Amino acid sequence: MKIENVNTLGELKTSGYKSIGIKDELRNNLREKIKSGQPVFEGVHGFENTVIPELERAILSRHNINLLGLRGQAKTRLARKMIELLDEYIPFVTGSEINDDPLNPISRFAKDLIDEKGEDTPISWLHRSERFFEKLATPDVTVADLIGDVDPIKAANLKLSYADDRVIHFGMIPRANRCIFVINELPDLQARIQVALFNILQEGDIQIRGFKLRMPLDMQFIFTANPEDYTNRGSIVTPLKDRIGSQILTHYPESVAIARTITEQEAKLDQTQSDVVYVPSLAKDILEQISFEARESEYIDNKSGVSARMSITAFENLISTAERRALKAGNDKTVLRLSDFIGIIPAITGKVELVYEGEQEGAAAVAQNLIGSAIKTLFSEYFPKIEKLEKPNEKTPYSDLIEWFFAESGFELLDEASDAEYQTILDEVTPLDVLLKKHQPQLDKKDQYFMKEFILWALVEYKKLSKDRFAQGHQFKDMYGSYISKL
């Protein structure tokens, strides 16, 4: 059916078009996608065996859905992806405020127009991209906002009595008839507003200022909620929960690989940044591991969650730190350094909720602690494990490196050193080359300097070396020598 040839009710009937409810529309299109093996929620990663099957079952069951999960778990993205399961176009009565189905009108306006014009009733076509409505639940949302109210100006202009239902101004929900309607952060909605949704979800009718309008709205409701909100700001009233067909629990990525895929997909980087800054694979793993460490940290309130947005904004900050350094040094291209991670601290401190102990430590100190923990966790995947307890005078893979620092008194790595200066300093630490040749012989040449710095930072975390931060960079020293200097 070509929509450009269908402009009236009569033409619509002749075309053989059959109207179906939005839940059946979603269901039918989902069935076709599953049968043909097409991906249903493309661009959503890590939910393939958990959330997405549950969501598909809910759609097949024609349920309204509540997505329950901590911040940054792609709840709203999942809801927006459901647009792709709608038909490309649907017809509606031209001029209707609530997208009346021409074959099944429910508003006074559409019924009167069809009675007046019959088969010549004009119809328009609504694209699926316009069939998504979203409302963030805030304490100031009113019943009038969502459902509607009597409009005195309309009554005056049309010279109508308040007893006439044509004086009603419809709210967001009736205007979203035949659409997907999302209410984000449902617990923030006041209980009396939640009560106003009961009949819409169960019976399909709406009540406005004493008008009981039998309007069987055709809608797919999706709610999102954070379980922590149940105690912080409010709750979902029990009768409303009872009317929501499926409650689906979301979660954070379960592996660093999945988290990397999400970050690389979502980070807003332009081609210039990608051309200027080369990012070693290990650097991306460390960045993601920071979020995993944060979710387990004793300093961070894990009930409020650590959003996937933290890794995304941290990655953007990380690239920008290296880009800025390259620009100041006059380098056209550069390789990311581990010392560039100091630039992601603002992205971390703005995204985590600290418990009392974390507040005592300070947000910046907690962020640095997370970076160190991530390095320590990943180190054993690349190099021999460093034991906490070692026998006196026992030779370890790192003995020569530690002795080098004892003999040479360490060095300083400046944040804004040029690539040539940075490489020269690390090349002087000859035991690093020995470690790389023995334990990472296949390492790409571009990644070598990042890996050298990685070894140094890891030895600091294992308390084999000392690292001090000063205004312009980091100073690496022998652990024992740093104790003597403090005496």
Side-chain angles (χ1 to χ4, degrees):
M1 176 178 60
K2 291 187 177 180
I3 62 171
E4 59 267 23
N5 299 330
V6 181
N7 299 302
T8 66
L9 179 58
E11 290 170 353
L12 185 67
K13 289 178 178 177
T14 306
S15 71
Y17 175 82
K18 292 181 180 177
S19 61
I20 59 171
I22 186 171
K23 287 185 169 69
D24 283 312
E25 188 183 332
L26 290 164
R27 173 184 157 81
N28 292 346
N29 291 327
L30 175 60
R31 280 170 52 86
E32 290 304 314
K33 284 208 168 192
I34 292 174
K35 282 197 288 185
S36 64
Q38 295 178 54
V40 180
F41 293 93
E42 210 166 359
V44 177
H45 305 283
F47 289 170
E48 293 83 358
N49 301 312
T50 52
V51 177
I52 289 176
E54 291 189 357
L55 191 53
E56 290 175 347
R57 287 192 282 269
I59 294 168
L60 292 172
S61 301
R62 306 178 184 87
H63 285 173
N64 292 312
I65 299 162
N66 182 27
L67 296 170
L68 184 64
L70 297 172
R71 67 178 85 174
Q73 290 186 350
K75 300 186 292 296
T76 307
R77 175 179 281 271
L78 281 171
R80 288 175 180 157
K81 281 284 176 184
M82 284 180 63
I83 297 172
E84 295 168 11
L85 293 175
L86 296 170
D87 291 343
E88 188 172 7
Y89 286 96
I90 59 165
F92 68 99
V93 176
T94 302
S96 168
E97 291 179 277
I98 64 169
N99 305 319
D100 274 286
D101 183 346
L103 302 179
N104 186 26
I106 59 174
S107 73
R108 169 87 170 262
F109 166 83
K111 288 176 181 176
D112 288 350
L113 188 64
I114 291 171
D115 286 344
E116 178 191 340
K117 298 197 172 184
E119 304 286 277
D120 294 326
T121 303
I123 65 166
S124 301
W125 293 85
L126 191 67
H127 190 258
R128 61 183 164 212
S129 61
E130 299 177 86
R131 297 176 64 194
F132 183 85
F133 286 73
E134 191 174 357
K135 179 64 180 171
L136 177 63
T138 53
D140 61 334
V141 173
T142 65
V143 174
D145 293 334
L146 289 179
I147 299 174
D149 204 349
V150 170
D151 185 348
I153 297 173
K154 185 186 281 189
N157 288 342
L158 298 176
K159 296 183 172 57
L160 295 171
S161 146
Y162 280 6
D164 193 311
D165 61 12
R166 285 175 291 179
V167 303
I168 291 173
H169 172 78
F170 292 115
M172 285 188 73
I173 290 177
R175 288 174 182 273
N177 183 38
R178 304 174 74 205
C179 300
I180 296 170
F181 191 86
V182 179
I183 298 181
N184 282 315
E185 310 301 342
L186 182 59
D188 283 356
L189 206 60
Q190 291 183 35
R192 63 186 181 83
I193 314 298
Q194 293 185 36
V195 169
L197 299 175
F198 290 178
N199 272 25
I200 295 173
L201 288 173
Q202 194 70 34
E203 310 298 336
D205 64 0
I206 59 173
Q207 297 180 27
I208 299 173
R209 295 282 183 178
F211 288 103
K212 183 174 181 182
L213 306 175
R214 182 62 186 164
M215 295 180 70
L217 297 174
D218 177 26
M219 301 179 68
Q220 172 67 55
F221 278 98
I222 302 173
F223 304 98
T224 73
N226 184 327
E228 182 66 6
D229 292 342
Y230 282 57
T231 52
N232 278 0
R233 296 191 287 268
S235 64
I236 303 175
V237 297
T238 306
L240 180 59
K241 285 183 73 176
D242 186 49
R243 286 166 168 79
I244 300 171
S246 291
Q247 178 169 283
I248 298 170
L249 300 178
T250 58
H251 56 81
Y252 288 120
E254 293 173 345
S255 71
V256 166
I258 293 170
R260 268 183 64 166
T261 303
I262 294 168
T263 298
E264 288 170 11
Q265 173 182 284
E266 299 299 318
K268 294 179 176 63
L269 303 176
D270 61 27
Q271 192 58 45
T272 306
Q273 290 173 298
S274 301
D275 291 341
V276 170
V277 183
Y278 169 76
V279 185
S281 179
L282 174 57
K284 296 177 182 178
D285 286 347
I286 293 171
L287 184 80
E288 301 304 337
Q289 187 63 37
I290 290 168
S291 292
F292 285 80
E293 299 293 336
R295 289 171 193 139
E296 301 294 327
S297 173
E298 61 183 344
Y299 298 125
I300 292 170
D301 182 3
N302 55 22
K303 288 182 182 176
S304 70
V306 177
S307 170
R309 297 184 194 94
M310 186 178 90
S311 295
I312 296 163
T313 54
F315 187 58
E316 293 165 350
N317 261 15
L318 186 60
I319 301 300
S320 297
T321 303
E323 182 186 23
R324 177 181 177 275
R325 170 173 52 73
L327 290 169
K328 287 179 77 73
N331 298 131
D332 293 330
K333 293 191 175 184
T334 189
V335 178
L336 192 82
R337 305 173 189 172
L338 194 44
S339 43
D340 291 330
F341 272 74
I342 202 74
I344 74 171
I345 289 175
I348 298 173
T349 55
K351 292 284 191 298
V352 295
E353 296 286 335
L354 301 179
V355 295
Y356 177 75
E357 290 81 0
E359 297 286 358
Q360 295 297 105
E361 286 285 319
V366 170
Q368 289 172 339
N369 178 271
L370 294 174
I371 295 169
S373 297
I375 291 167
K376 191 174 182 180
T377 299
L378 293 175
F379 185 69
S380 59
E381 295 181 17
Y382 294 87
F383 295 96
K385 188 178 179 183
I386 299 175
E387 300 295 338
K388 285 184 180 179
L389 297 174
E390 295 169 356
K391 293 177 182 176
N393 303 318
E394 183 181 14
K395 188 85 169 171
T396 73
Y398 309 102
S399 298
D400 291 343
L401 179 57
I402 294 167
E403 285 171 13
W404 184 94
F405 274 89
F406 185 75
E408 300 293 334
S409 302
F411 60 82
E412 293 178 352
L413 272 181
L414 300 180
D415 293 341
E416 295 179 2
S418 68
D419 285 353
E421 293 167 339
Y422 170 77
Q423 291 170 13
T424 300
I425 291 169
L426 289 177
D427 283 341
E428 289 174 0
V429 191
T430 50
L432 286 174
D433 292 314
V434 176
L435 279 167
L436 287 186
K437 278 182 185 176
K438 184 173 183 181
H439 301 290
Q440 293 294 322
Q442 306 300 320
L443 187 66
D444 191 305
K445 193 173 181 181
K446 273 188 173 182
D447 295 0
Q448 286 182 357
Y449 290 97
F450 185 89
M451 192 66 81
K452 286 181 179 182
E453 200 179 349
F454 175 63
I455 295 170
L456 298 179
W457 282 61
L459 289 175
V460 170
E461 291 304 314
Y462 280 101
K463 296 185 170 41
K464 300 298 180 183
L465 293 178
S466 165
K467 174 172 66 69
D468 295 314
R469 174 71 187 165
F470 63 99
Q472 295 176 317
H474 293 92
Q475 184 182 48
F476 291 88
K477 294 186 292 186
D478 165 62
M479 196 77 180
Y480 185 65
S482 66
Y483 282 139
I484 293 173
S485 66
K486 291 175 184 175
L487 294 177

